[in-house]
Amino acid sequence: MTVTKIQFGTDGWRAQVGRGFDTESVSRVSHATACAFAEVAQAKGWQSLRIIIGYDTREGADQFAGLAAQIVADTMAACLPNQDVQVVLSDRYVPTPCVCWTIARDKSAIGGIQLTASHNPAGWLGFKVRMSDGGAAPVEFTQRIEELLDASVPVASGAVSSVAAVDILSPYLDALCQFVDVDAIRAANLKLVVDPLYGAARGYLADTFERIGTTVIRIHDSADPKFGGLHPEPIPPWTDTAANAVRQNAAIAGFVMDGDADRLGAIDDMGTFVSSHKILALLAIHLVENHGRQGRIVKTLSTSLLVDRIAAFLGVPSTTTPIGFKWIYAEMLQGDVLIGGEESGGIGIPGHIFERDGLLMSLLLAEMMATTGHSLRQLIQQLEKRVGVLYYDRYDLTLNQQDVQGVRRALPTLNPVTIAGSAVMHYTHTDGAKFILSDSEWLLLRASGTEPMVRIYAESATRERTAELLAAGKQLAKETTVKRAKGQKG
């Protein structure tokens, strides 16, 4: 029998159900994760501990979560026979930030697991691991899980394992409402489109807004583990239905979630998609000017210069990390972060959890509109008056896995002198290869950590120039695969 290779990527392990993600592989990774948590418990001397497990709306996610919960409970009981260990399994599907919030608020929680494939299409599932503060597992921990995949565990001698089905959702939703001024949102009489893309925010975000007193138009809000043929990723074209609904219903904004609801996409009142970069910049303004907060703004390498500019405007520091929220989490641990966000739509506020939360970001944008009396479009216009206009775009070049690995190995040595007719002023190989052409132009090539593709990012002061940079990036990536192929033949 072929044993599935389990390798953690940017945010967990993912595979197609029946083609890598199955009972055998989930059993192995659950067992290894429990062993790794047991080692942490022994090192820290924890005598009483809990592990929180949740799951999203994908087909079979609840069953895999139940399997993981029982294996984790049995393994922990065997590894820690003298400790009080309990596994808490959500009694319904929940957003990933709900699991993170529950872990962070439970002083006995050593960590948790969420069964989700995030934005991957139907047919995929994944295994996300979270630590005792709710943040993503660091590389050292996931590497230890990989090392323990085939480890043996002593047979439990009389130890009793425990799995409890618990409502972890209700306290989390209550906490979201306590973070914002619900009275201001209610008084603003907002009309919003809410689109969970059939994912883990299904019902929950719309219900929360309606409980506050907001008029909500729901779309893609029914049970459909196949996502209606959509990809549960809050970017065009998957946000197009929400954009049409905003225009047709004269709504002031639309909010679109990804599959596990830790990421947000937004639509303004004209039906125009609002990038995550602008959302991050707006929320930073809101936290500083309307909430009176201070701290660093943390962004990943693929995030717009717009965020650096708004940080300078607000007089707060900015920090750039490699791609992946785990790097933002590492900065949050230092204790001086206001907000952190990434290009893919994940934004987090450490005062809430050390993780992304699409539901909270939606509520904060609604609060910002209510507090200022401006629509999302008007807020963006004000933002661009402050820091200028930049045009950002991304292209995903799908390749076979061997070519992706080849590009990944080649990028650290990729140092062109010019790109699209402009001299390269500076470059970094911190994560992929990023080339700075001016104070408003850059190009980034990076092999994806979750899918078989090379992502190409570009930004400049004009839409046409950004298109030129993207074309140059595609050519660089293709040349790299051609050189690799010739090298193999030689």
Side-chain angles (χ1 to χ4, degrees):
M1 182 179 76
T2 302
V3 177
T4 299
K5 182 179 181 181
I6 296 172
Q7 188 170 13
F8 282 73
T10 304
D11 189 17
W13 163 64
R14 300 177 199 177
Q16 289 180 278
V17 177
R19 298 176 61 187
F21 201 99
D22 51 30
T23 298
E24 182 272 338
S25 59
V26 172
S27 298
R28 288 176 63 220
V29 75
S30 300
H31 167 88
T33 301
C35 290
F37 276 131
E39 290 180 348
V40 173
Q42 289 174 326
K44 295 186 176 181
W46 287 36
Q47 295 300 309
S48 178
L49 58 121
R50 276 188 285 276
I51 293 180
I52 315 299
I53 299 181
Y55 55 92
D56 68 9
T57 59
R58 291 167 185 270
E59 189 170 13
D62 56 343
Q63 297 172 3
F64 281 115
L67 172 65
Q70 194 59 60
I71 288 175
V72 168
D74 291 345
T75 304
M76 295 290 282
C79 291
L80 306 170
N82 299 316
Q83 275 106 311
D84 176 19
V85 179
Q86 184 182 59
V87 173
V88 172
L89 175 64
S90 174
D91 65 356
R92 70 199 78 178
Y93 68 86
V94 290
T96 294
C98 173
V99 172
C100 300
W101 183 89
T102 303
I103 295 168
R105 295 306 182 276
D106 187 337
K107 293 183 180 179
S108 294
I110 197 169
I113 298 164
Q114 173 78 339
L115 275 293
T116 179
S118 186
H119 65 278
N120 284 54
W124 286 73
L125 253 175
F127 193 98
K128 290 186 177 183
V129 180
R130 294 296 180 260
M131 306 309 288
S132 60
D133 57 7
V139 173
E140 307 80 51
F141 192 80
T142 55
Q143 286 177 343
R144 184 56 182 155
I145 293 174
E146 291 171 5
E147 292 169 358
L148 291 167
L149 282 170
D150 300 310
S152 61
V153 172
V155 177
S157 55
V160 178
S161 62
S162 173
V163 177
V166 176
D167 173 15
I168 64 173
L169 176 73
S170 299
Y172 160 74
L173 293 180
D174 289 342
L176 294 182
C177 291
Q178 292 169 11
F179 201 95
V180 297
D181 186 344
V182 295
D183 292 332
I185 297 173
R186 181 182 300 113
N189 294 317
L190 304 177
K191 181 190 286 188
L192 301 169
V193 168
V194 172
D195 182 357
L197 288 174
Y198 302 109
R202 194 183 78 216
Y204 304 151
L205 181 58
D207 287 351
T208 300
F209 271 121
E210 288 180 345
R211 183 170 56 153
I212 290 172
T214 300
T215 300
V216 175
I217 295 93
R218 301 173 183 240
I219 58 175
H220 301 146
D221 202 36
S222 58
D224 187 344
K226 301 295 186 184
F227 303 125
L230 301 171
H231 285 206
E233 185 166 17
I235 59 173
W238 317 117
T239 56
D240 290 352
T241 304
N244 289 334
V246 168
R247 288 190 291 265
Q248 291 168 5
N249 292 278
I252 195 169
F255 299 133
V256 187
M257 300 289 108
D258 76 330
D260 65 336
D262 63 356
R263 296 192 289 124
L264 162 72
I267 310 293
D268 72 13
D269 60 321
M270 298 297 289
T272 303
F273 177 74
V274 179
S275 74
S276 59
H277 317 278
K278 293 176 181 177
I279 295 172
L280 176 57
L282 289 178
L283 291 177
I285 293 170
H286 184 46
L287 291 174
V288 171
E289 297 185 346
N290 301 323
H291 278 248
R293 300 190 177 207
Q294 289 290 309
R296 287 184 294 145
I297 301 175
V298 182
K299 66 167 194 129
T300 56
L301 197 66
S302 60
T303 306
S304 171
L305 290 168
L306 187 72
V307 178
D308 301 271
R309 292 182 179 183
I310 202 61
F313 180 88
L314 294 171
V316 299
S318 65
T319 301
T320 300
T321 72
I323 294 169
F325 203 85
K326 62 187 177 185
W327 302 107
I328 295 176
Y329 162 63
E331 294 294 330
M332 287 179 172
L333 292 178
Q334 298 185 29
D336 61 343
V337 172
L338 170 72
I339 189 171
E342 55 186 348
E343 173 265 341
S344 61
I347 301 172
I349 298 171
H352 171 56
I353 51 174
F354 287 0
E355 252 296 349
R356 300 158 289 191
D357 192 334
L359 289 86
L360 178 61
M361 301 313 133
S362 299
L363 288 165
L364 282 169
L365 283 177
E367 180 191 48
M368 187 178 188
M369 288 187 285
T371 301
T372 62
H374 298 303
S375 69
L376 192 54
R377 177 167 52 91
Q378 290 169 328
L379 291 171
I380 292 168
Q381 289 172 345
Q382 293 173 1
L383 167 68
E384 292 178 340
K385 284 182 180 179
R386 290 176 167 184
V387 298
V389 178
L390 291 168
Y391 294 89
Y392 179 103
D393 204 356
R394 182 184 101 187
Y395 179 82
D396 293 340
L397 179 64
T398 300
L399 301 170
N400 64 53
Q401 195 60 54
Q402 285 186 329
D403 281 340
V404 172
Q405 293 297 340
V407 171
R408 180 179 283 110
R409 288 191 293 269
L411 287 179
T413 60
L414 188 63
N415 301 313
V417 176
T418 62
I419 293 176
S422 294
V424 175
M425 295 174 56
H426 174 68
Y427 60 83
T428 176
H429 296 123
T430 301
D431 190 354
K434 185 172 184 178
F435 308 102
I436 313 300
L437 308 179
S438 72
D439 60 0
S440 62
E441 283 190 5
W442 57 270
L443 173 71
L444 169 65
L445 282 73
R446 179 181 180 271
S448 171
T450 58
E451 297 170 87
M453 60 180 59
V454 174
R455 300 195 192 280
I456 304 167
Y457 310 81
E459 184 171 48
S460 77
T462 70
R463 188 174 284 107
E464 294 75 19
R465 179 57 177 168
T466 299
E468 291 177 2
L469 293 175
L470 276 183
K474 294 177 200 176
Q475 187 62 32
L476 278 172
K478 290 176 181 177
E479 288 174 357
T480 301
T481 59
V482 169
K483 289 178 181 177
R484 173 184 172 277
K486 287 182 178 179
Q488 284 183 331
K489 291 177 182 178

